[in-house]
Amino acid sequence: MATRTKDKEPAPPPARPLIAVNADIVAPKNGAAFAKVNVGYLDAIVAAGGLPLVLPPLRKDNLADIDALLNQCAGIVLTGGADMDPRRNGQPLTAVVNPMPARREDADRYLLAKIFERKIPVLGIGVGMQQLNVFAGGTLYMHLPADNPKALPHFDQTGAPHRHMVLIEENTRLDDIYGTQELRVNSAHHQAINQMGKRMRVAAKAPDGVIEAIESTDPNWFCVGVQWHPEADTASALDVQIFDCFVQAAVRNSDGVLAAA
């Protein structure tokens, strides 16, 4: 009589790298403030093979507690949001600037210090790109229509979707990621990079010369920032590649820090 072999247990799914995502803060006029993250970031990370971990914007006195989470993460996505407070960078606050809550900016500055100190793989999106540049010693145009009047429109004042071309610089990491010199992107920003930060370089520009993407000059560090939003519904089909490459770079640099899928 034949002996029935015991069915083998199915193999566990492959582990996913933990990817940190910084949360924004919404402070309504009535009621308590709350933290939020656009699900587009979360979905894009999962689709690229990562597992998102939302980093709460803790109070200033508790920010060091975030280190316990960062120690588990293979990379960080710096999300978009409102403007950086220009007064923190020696520039005046004007009526056209919409500063993010101070609590978020405090938390983001702490994260930036850790990112640069540890050279954690990072993808900065929207204001996240601007934060990378400013932390590296660069500056911003506070309002493109006023500070750079020759610039083409980079946002629609009615809030409708706006798009324009960007020209990717040759021999950059972004060139490797997209594999094309021209890309049509969504655009909803009124600020932009003015002077580049130290050890950062331009990775893409709009046809009017406005900087649309930056990256570290260190070939061993995935540090990329884009002004457009590759996680949004209005993103190009090619934009999935930037999340794919980012997560792959995070895995290579994670020293085996993985979370179970």
Side-chain angles (χ1 to χ4, degrees):
M1 182 176 177
T3 302
R4 185 177 178 182
T5 58
K6 186 178 179 180
D7 293 338
K8 292 183 178 180
E9 292 291 332
R16 291 172 177 263
L18 275 178
I19 304 297
V21 185
N22 62 323
D24 199 359
I25 292 181
V26 176
K29 293 182 179 179
N30 298 314
F34 59 92
K36 75 165 189 176
V37 175
N38 188 311
V39 295
Y41 297 109
L42 311 182
D43 291 344
I45 290 169
V46 171
L51 184 64
L53 174 68
V54 177
L55 296 181
L58 298 181
R59 295 186 184 277
K60 207 169 184 179
D61 293 342
N62 302 117
L63 284 174
D65 294 332
I66 288 291
D67 289 2
L69 296 178
L70 288 180
N71 291 338
Q72 303 176 54
C73 293
I76 296 180
V77 171
L78 291 176
T79 61
D83 303 326
M84 301 172 67
D85 189 334
R87 293 169 295 188
R88 297 194 183 207
N89 302 313
Q91 295 177 277
L93 178 64
T94 63
V96 294
V97 176
N98 176 31
M100 64 178 64
R103 180 165 167 171
R104 172 178 173 177
E105 189 152 4
D106 289 339
D108 287 356
R109 283 173 174 262
Y110 185 86
L111 284 179
L112 286 158
K114 295 299 179 180
I115 289 168
F116 276 77
E117 174 189 333
R118 303 184 187 183
K119 292 199 172 179
I120 302 171
V122 57
L123 174 60
I125 296 173
V127 74
M129 178 197 78
Q130 297 171 5
Q131 289 174 319
L132 288 172
N133 187 67
V134 170
F135 191 86
T139 62
L140 301 178
Y141 290 118
M142 289 294 97
H143 190 57
L144 277 174
D147 298 341
N148 188 0
K150 293 183 179 181
L152 299 172
H154 285 259
F155 66 97
D156 190 302
Q157 292 183 343
T158 68
H162 183 72
R163 301 177 73 83
H164 63 69
M165 297 296 297
V166 298
L167 309 175
I168 296 177
E169 299 287 315
E170 293 185 1
N171 302 316
T172 58
R173 188 183 292 272
L174 210 64
D175 186 18
D176 291 338
I177 291 171
Y178 282 97
T180 180
Q181 266 67 62
E182 292 186 2
L183 183 69
R184 192 168 181 82
V185 301
N186 53 35
S187 183
H189 62 102
H190 78 107
Q191 296 189 337
I193 289 176
N194 182 359
Q195 296 176 330
M196 289 294 300
K198 296 176 181 178
R199 292 180 288 280
M200 304 294 281
R201 67 185 176 195
V202 176
K205 291 182 179 180
D208 57 4
V210 170
I211 296 171
E212 291 283 334
I214 63 173
E215 60 188 45
S216 171
T217 58
D218 184 345
N220 299 315
W221 181 26
F222 190 105
C223 174
V224 174
V226 294
Q227 188 65 75
W228 62 91
H229 284 263
E231 86 291 348
D233 292 339
T234 55
S236 159
L238 289 175
D239 277 320
V240 297
Q241 297 173 187
I242 197 167
F243 279 98
D244 288 343
C245 293
F246 161 65
V247 171
Q248 291 166 14
V251 170
R252 290 193 298 270
N253 290 275
S254 65
D255 294 328
V257 179
L258 297 176

